[in-house]
Amino acid sequence: MDACSSVSAGAQSQKVTYAKVFRAAREATFTPDVLRGSLVGRPYDLRHATVSTWLAGVPAATVAEWAGQAIAVLLEVYASFLGKGQQVETALGSGR
């Protein structure tokens, strides 16, 4: 096996382990209804839901800092979610 194959196999192994841990954490944390939804399928989905919820009541500059993004990037990616955080909270089962 050459060095590239070894690195590739190691990266794949990490990805599989990460996916197993993430799946187990999801099942231990969320209700069956939330698990059937589209907001917790991947780690990125959770990040997206969190940032979208923050944008419902936190200034964009603050959210950008918390998310580690430039304001321009944040607004480009999440513009459609401005003011819709309550919908995300409800979908995750935490809406009041």
Side-chain angles (χ1 to χ4, degrees):
M1 180 182 307
D2 64 23
C4 290
S5 296
S6 177
V7 169
S8 178
Q12 184 62 30
S13 177
Q14 277 185 322
K15 185 176 179 180
V16 169
T17 300
Y18 183 79
K20 286 180 183 178
V21 170
F22 180 71
R23 194 172 316 122
R26 283 181 51 225
E27 291 170 4
T29 304
F30 295 107
T31 66
D33 287 341
V34 172
L35 288 172
R36 283 189 291 275
S38 61
L39 292 176
V40 295
R42 308 166 295 165
Y44 177 79
D45 298 330
L46 292 173
R47 181 185 194 284
H48 193 68
T50 299
V51 171
S52 300
T53 301
W54 288 341
L55 285 170
V58 178
T62 303
V63 173
E65 182 180 339
W66 291 348
Q69 291 181 310
I71 295 172
V73 172
L74 177 95
L75 293 177
E76 181 179 327
V77 173
Y78 296 96
S80 65
F81 283 91
L82 290 172
K84 295 183 181 179
Q86 185 61 42
Q87 292 173 2
V88 174
E89 286 181 0
T90 300
L92 285 172
S94 61
R96 307 229 186 278

